Amino acid sequence: MLRVLAVDDEEPALEELLYLLRADPRIRSAEGATGATEALRRIGSAVDAGPDDPAAIDVVFLDIHMAGLTGLDVAQLLAGFAAPPLIVFVTAHEGFAVHAFDLKAVDYVLKPVRRERLAEAVRRVAEQVGGRSAPVHDTNHDQIPVELGGVIRFIPIDDIAYAEAQGDYARLHTDTGSHLVRVPLTTLEERWRTRGFVRIHRRHLVALGRIDELRLDAGSMSVRIGTASLAVSRRHTRALRDLLMRQTGR
């Protein structure tokens, strides 16, 4: 049974969220706060009191756009707590999803909140709270949130064959389609370096294990990934060739 604090500076939205939360049988209690300052005060008191106190908070359902401190600011401050509550962001703006999961959010629910979508967020929270006594594998770094038809979905990073720069965005290519995310390719390159992704061009970041073929033609190099043929820039040619040689043990 979960103890919830919902935070939103728009009272109608807060009341609607509390109504939906209190209707879920997995929720023991759901209280509201109308701003970041009030929320931080209540969370601080709950953390000081300990997990067995009646005022303890398991999870915060947190709006992002609020007057004064934003929900992202609150999440960053909570990261400094010894044992902070879990966080679910509830917002009308899908563009902050990647940042939200960098802050270890359990889920990211778009407004207007649908009952079934909120129930899925509660399920995710309940699983993590129930597993806190044992080591929990952090799946947030194994997935990346993308927006599909107004809903945030989670794409396994292992499903991504390559990423393509599109200005300040990146398009992620999988076997079943592509997804545009609001994050620069240079940021993905830094995050995914240890996951076997390599930069082959200013426009492309590829999963090394998904390269089907390396082609040399009149001094130019390209790689084939499925049906896509991607050019390798001269500055990346030697490094890529060395990586592929090490991978094959040659």
Side-chain angles (χ1 to χ4, degrees):
M1 297 289 285
L2 300 172
R3 298 157 297 186
V4 176
L5 178 66
V7 186
D8 197 316
D9 62 352
E10 296 182 357
E11 290 197 23
L14 178 61
E15 290 302 319
E16 175 67 14
L17 180 57
L18 287 171
Y19 172 79
L20 293 174
L21 287 168
R22 289 166 179 163
D24 192 305
R26 294 164 295 187
I27 303 296
R28 177 193 301 181
S29 63
E31 304 299 328
T34 55
T37 301
E38 179 188 355
L40 287 168
R41 177 181 57 78
R42 295 174 66 170
I43 295 167
S45 298
V47 170
D48 290 340
D52 297 324
D53 191 86
I57 299 169
D58 295 308
V59 57
V60 182
F61 283 76
L62 185 59
D63 187 27
I64 287 183
H65 279 291
M66 296 187 291
L69 291 176
T70 69
L72 296 174
D73 294 329
V74 172
Q76 288 175 329
L77 291 170
L78 291 183
F81 284 40
L86 300 175
I87 295 174
V88 172
F89 284 105
V90 183
T91 177
H93 305 276
E94 75 276 3
F96 296 99
V98 172
H99 191 182
F101 284 94
D102 281 345
L103 293 170
K104 304 294 191 295
V106 176
D107 209 342
Y108 191 95
V109 179
L110 291 176
K111 296 179 181 179
V113 177
R114 296 181 292 111
R115 186 185 299 271
E116 61 273 18
R117 181 65 185 87
L118 188 64
E120 170 62 16
V122 172
R123 182 193 67 76
R124 289 173 179 265
V125 171
E127 284 185 352
Q128 287 210 23
V129 170
R132 273 181 167 175
S133 58
V136 177
H137 179 59
D138 182 4
T139 60
N140 288 344
H141 291 298
D142 295 333
Q143 301 172 313
I144 184 168
V146 301
E147 191 272 331
L148 289 172
V151 177
I152 298 296
R153 304 290 187 190
F154 301 90
I155 303 298
I157 294 173
D158 288 344
D159 288 355
I160 298 167
Y162 67 97
E164 179 182 5
Q166 295 192 352
D168 291 332
Y169 294 70
R171 182 166 293 281
L172 311 179
H173 294 265
T174 70
D175 292 337
T176 57
S178 67
H179 312 278
L180 193 65
V181 294
R182 192 176 299 183
V183 55
L185 197 66
T186 52
T187 301
L188 294 180
E189 179 184 9
E190 181 179 341
R191 291 177 182 170
W192 294 351
R193 185 175 290 115
T194 60
R195 302 188 66 96
F197 282 80
V198 296
R199 193 72 171 259
I200 65 166
H201 191 276
R202 63 182 178 83
R203 290 193 57 200
H204 292 118
L205 179 72
V206 304
L208 201 62
R210 300 293 293 271
I211 294 176
D212 297 311
E213 188 177 72
L214 182 67
R215 298 175 177 174
L216 291 170
D217 183 19
S220 297
M221 179 183 287
S222 64
V223 297
R224 181 176 62 82
I225 300 178
T227 59
S229 180
L230 308 175
V232 181
S233 67
R234 291 185 181 277
R235 62 175 295 201
H236 293 102
T237 295
R238 183 180 180 85
L240 176 63
R241 185 165 49 200
D242 291 346
L243 280 171
L244 289 172
M245 290 298 183
R246 287 201 298 271
Q247 188 182 52
T248 57
R250 294 177 182 175

